[in-house]
Amino acid sequence: MMPVRRTQNWLPSIFSDFFDNDWMVRANATAPSINVIETENEYKIEVAAPGMTKEDFTIRLDEDENLVIAMEKKTENSDKKEGRYLRREFSYAKFQQTMILPDNVEKDKIAAKVEHGVLNIFIPKKTESELPKTSKVIEIS
């Protein structure tokens, strides 16, 4: 007797038909990949951003001094023909990521640039002499 492998091709298509449509929003469908690198002198954040320009990004510190990276790009293919659309392509991408910064960074010297489809954010660290010296008295109860 020869072993037979049965495949049920109808089952994956049911899931694809149900989950892969316009009314079912996919989480992180437009979320870019982010790398965080720590060196001796700085933190570097790399955000994958193919096709984006520096005008598409906003980088700011919020009221709690967290780093907020926002990206928004809207493009429209305006090949309009007389009559009805057989295919119409609009593209809209929006992303926002908030990152809590460590205490040892110089928030006034954060810099960023877009290069080769990657947004690079440079966050310099404070030197040991610039770090606040804290001492705390612990009360004994």
Side-chain angles (χ1 to χ4, degrees):
M1 180 182 274
M2 178 156 294
V4 177
R5 189 168 132 189
R6 292 186 179 181
T7 59
Q8 296 180 347
N9 291 335
W10 61 271
L11 188 59
S13 69
I14 289 175
F15 286 114
S16 295
D17 292 343
F18 182 72
F19 289 111
D20 191 22
N21 56 41
D22 292 336
W23 58 269
M24 191 76 164
V25 178
R26 290 182 296 165
N28 294 332
T30 60
S33 300
I34 297 176
N35 297 329
V36 179
I37 303 162
E38 181 181 10
T39 65
E40 187 177 326
N41 299 324
E42 71 178 355
Y43 296 97
K44 181 180 177 185
I45 298 173
E46 299 173 333
V47 180
M52 302 294 168
T53 63
K54 68 180 187 178
E55 289 79 19
D56 299 326
F57 289 98
T58 305
I59 303 168
R60 63 182 175 83
L61 294 176
D62 66 6
E63 60 276 354
D64 296 324
E65 295 197 346
N66 297 321
L67 183 69
V68 179
I69 305 166
M71 180 269 303
E72 184 172 5
K73 184 158 186 107
K74 182 178 182 180
T75 58
E76 180 179 331
N77 185 356
S78 60
D79 259 354
K80 293 187 178 180
K81 304 283 183 196
E82 292 277 332
R84 65 183 176 100
Y85 286 103
L86 295 177
R87 180 177 177 150
R88 191 163 117 181
E89 293 184 3
F90 291 99
S91 176
Y92 180 75
K94 188 173 184 177
F95 167 78
Q96 181 171 315
Q97 177 74 43
T98 302
M99 298 183 165
I100 300 171
L101 295 175
D103 294 333
N104 67 338
V105 300
E106 293 193 46
K107 295 176 181 167
D108 296 334
K109 296 183 180 178
I110 296 174
K113 68 178 180 177
V114 177
E115 187 175 55
H116 304 295
V118 177
L119 170 66
N120 294 293
I121 304 170
F122 305 97
I123 307 169
K125 291 182 179 179
K126 292 180 181 177
T127 61
E128 288 295 322
S129 62
E130 294 174 328
L131 291 174
K133 306 288 189 234
T134 59
S135 62
K136 182 177 180 180
V137 176
I138 300 172
E139 295 182 24
I140 302 172
S141 54

